[in-house]
């Protein structure tokens, strides 16, 4: 029977630990009563409870002592709650610690947003020297665990919850840099997939559209992705982007127009953030907005990248030419607070009216 990713990890690590006494398993209250590693090697199994940062710090100490620690916890708690410990352990110390992160993405959706993790790839890819893997299926997971044991270098492995898949076959012992599930000509559309759900969807899409190429990537850190991109470029000469839903009428011309529009907002000095109702202009970050037609009046504050607040009470008048109501003497020199019914000055220099919400704020 095919095992899920996290069950395959536990089984493979337990099997490898029988021949390697330096392998240590750490869990953050995820082991349960039937953890195979705990049953086979209780003296090398540690359940640290919901103390993810302490678990990673302990793994760093074990690695410094010559052990090969594998620490497992939910992806949001590994990448977010223990982010500083991960940065210091994997990046600064380059300790040979492997972090196993199930429940990545939205695989634990029914637990709520506290257990979702869409940020772990961005966080871990910013830490230098970490090998990041997102296996698809039992065979890939076992291969990644074996490679982490042999290398003794920092690893981050993300997987789902209980979904079980059969990995895409590959020649040789180790998965290749780019695992081609199906090859096609250089002008054909090529789907590139990573992880469990992305690969499953890509395989379904390829079966629905025969002739489409499909390349699966296992490792997602900068070094492996750069090499994979070079290999993909050697096989496929064109990259086609599809924007909009099928049948929406936006074909190749729409994609080119969207690309041109995107390039127009990204210059040598970096991308510009265009807000609704505001026309983007050159320069860094946020620029002076132009109010949308018919939008004068409430909420017309000015947001600038570094310039703070511009305009004042007259700029925020209800209608052009109408004067503001007089300010009482006792409030003329009083500092602005959240109870002010005219406007609030926040640290980001965004000015807005709170007349409608004043009763709620006061309560």
């Amino acid at each position: 029977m095919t095992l899920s990713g996290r069950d395959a990890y536990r089984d493979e690590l337990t099997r490898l630990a029988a021949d390697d006494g330096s392998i240590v398993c750490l869990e953050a209250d995820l082991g349960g009563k039937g953890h195979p590693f705990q049953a086979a090697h209780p003296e090398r199994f540690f359940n640290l409870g919901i103390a993810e940062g302490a678990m990673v710090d302990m793994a760093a100490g074990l690695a410094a002592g010559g052990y090969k620690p594998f620490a497992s916890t939910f992806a949001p708690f590994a990448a977010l709650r223990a982010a500083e410990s991960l940065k210091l352990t994997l990046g600064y110390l380059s300790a040979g610690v492997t972090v196993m992160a199930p429940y990545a993405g939205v695989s634990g959706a029914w637990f709520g947003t506290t257990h979702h993790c869409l940020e772990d790839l961005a966080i871990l890819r910013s830490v230098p020297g970490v090998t990041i893997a997102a296996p698809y299926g039992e065979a890939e997971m076992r291969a990644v665990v074996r490679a982490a044991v042999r290398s003794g270098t920092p690893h981050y492995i993300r997987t789902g919850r209980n979904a079980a898949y059969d990995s895409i076959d590959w020649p040789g012992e180790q998965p290749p840099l780019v695992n081609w599930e199906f090859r096609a000509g250089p002008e054909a559309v090529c789907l590139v997939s990573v992880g469990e759900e992305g690969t499953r969807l890509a395989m379904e899409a390829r079966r629905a559209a025969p002739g489409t190429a499909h390349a699966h990537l296992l490792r997602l850190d900068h070094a492996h992705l750069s090499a994979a991109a070079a290999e993909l470029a050697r096989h496929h000469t064109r990259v086609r982007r599809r924007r909009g839903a099928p049948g929406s009428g936006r074909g190749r011309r729409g994609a080119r127009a969207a690309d041109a529009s995107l390039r127009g907002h990204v210059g040598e000095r970096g991308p510009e953030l265009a807000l609704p109702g505001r026309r983007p202009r050159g320069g860094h970050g946020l620029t002076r907005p132009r109010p949308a037609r018919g939008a004068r009046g409430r909420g017309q504050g000015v947001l600038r990248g570094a310039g703070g607040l511009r305009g004042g009470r007259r700029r925020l008048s209800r209608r052009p030419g109408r004067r503001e109501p007089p300010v009482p003497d006792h409030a003329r020199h009083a500092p602005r607070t959240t109870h002010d019914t005219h406007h609030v000055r926040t640290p980001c220099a965004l000015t807005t009216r709170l007349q409608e919400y004043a009763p709620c704020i006061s309560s």
Side-chain angles (χ1 to χ4, degrees):
M1 183 180 71
T2 303
L3 298 178
S4 65
R6 63 174 184 167
D7 288 337
Y9 153 75
R10 293 173 176 176
D11 185 76
E12 186 67 19
L13 191 66
T14 303
R15 188 184 65 82
L16 295 173
D19 300 324
D20 189 343
S22 63
I23 296 177
V24 180
C25 181
L26 293 82
E27 293 273 353
D29 204 25
L30 302 184
K33 296 182 179 180
H35 199 294
F37 196 102
Q38 182 180 17
H41 315 287
E43 73 284 357
R44 286 182 279 156
F45 179 86
F46 301 93
N47 190 337
L48 279 299
I50 51 175
E52 292 80 4
M55 179 183 68
V56 176
D57 294 340
M58 179 176 173
L62 289 170
Y67 290 94
K68 300 175 182 177
F70 283 71
S72 177
T73 184
F74 286 6
F77 307 144
L80 298 175
R81 183 178 294 175
E84 183 180 15
S85 295
L86 283 181
K87 179 187 70 173
L88 297 177
T89 298
L90 304 183
Y92 185 75
L93 298 176
S94 297
V97 174
T98 298
V99 177
M100 176 65 187
Y103 287 76
V106 292
S107 57
W110 49 89
F111 290 123
T113 54
T114 58
H115 288 60
H116 299 176
C117 191
L118 305 176
E119 308 89 349
D120 58 334
L121 287 180
I123 295 173
L124 270 299
R125 277 176 50 81
S126 66
V127 180
V130 180
T131 299
I132 303 173
Y136 174 76
E138 178 181 350
E140 274 195 354
M141 176 61 76
R142 292 182 181 274
V144 169
V145 173
R146 290 194 298 267
V149 170
R150 286 195 302 266
S151 68
T153 57
H155 276 68
Y156 178 82
I157 307 173
R158 74 191 310 260
T159 187
R161 186 174 180 261
N162 291 329
Y165 302 102
D166 292 320
S167 300
I168 301 173
D169 294 332
W170 67 82
E173 180 181 357
Q174 285 299 314
L177 183 66
V178 178
N179 192 3
W180 292 92
E181 192 246 339
F182 184 78
R183 289 179 181 267
E187 293 293 318
V189 174
C190 178
L191 303 176
V192 179
S193 68
V194 298
E196 293 182 345
E197 286 303 299
T199 304
R200 180 186 67 82
L201 292 173
M203 295 174 69
E204 291 184 3
R206 194 196 66 76
R207 287 192 291 267
T212 302
H214 175 210
H216 169 65
L217 306 183
L218 169 60
R219 294 178 174 86
L220 311 176
D221 51 89
H222 180 74
H224 286 95
L225 276 186
S226 298
E231 180 174 340
L232 290 170
R234 288 194 296 269
H235 289 84
H236 288 268
T237 58
R238 300 179 63 183
V239 177
R240 298 179 180 177
R241 298 178 182 176
R242 176 74 179 183
R243 286 176 170 82
S248 62
R250 294 186 61 187
R252 195 172 300 174
R253 287 190 303 172
R256 283 199 297 264
D259 288 341
S261 175
L262 178 62
R263 287 194 298 270
H265 293 300
V266 180
E268 295 180 357
R269 295 185 293 176
E272 177 185 355
L273 177 61
L275 301 179
R278 297 181 169 103
R279 181 179 300 176
R281 300 174 65 181
H284 286 294
L286 297 174
T287 59
R288 181 176 180 178
R290 298 187 63 175
R293 182 176 300 177
R296 299 183 65 178
R298 257 193 320 266
Q300 283 303 303
V302 178
L303 187 62
R304 306 199 78 183
L309 181 65
R310 292 193 60 185
R313 195 177 301 276
R314 293 190 181 278
R315 178 183 291 273
L316 296 173
S317 60
R318 293 188 187 90
R319 294 179 184 175
R322 176 173 291 189
R323 298 182 59 185
E324 285 280 346
V327 180
D329 292 337
H330 70 275
R332 188 178 300 278
H333 302 291
R336 298 294 181 183
T337 66
T338 54
H339 298 276
D340 192 331
T341 59
H342 291 285
H343 62 274
V344 174
R345 296 181 180 181
T346 64
C348 66
L350 177 63
T351 302
T352 183
R353 289 181 175 272
L354 296 176
Q355 292 177 340
E356 298 87 344
Y357 309 103
C360 300
I361 295 175
S362 299
S363 61

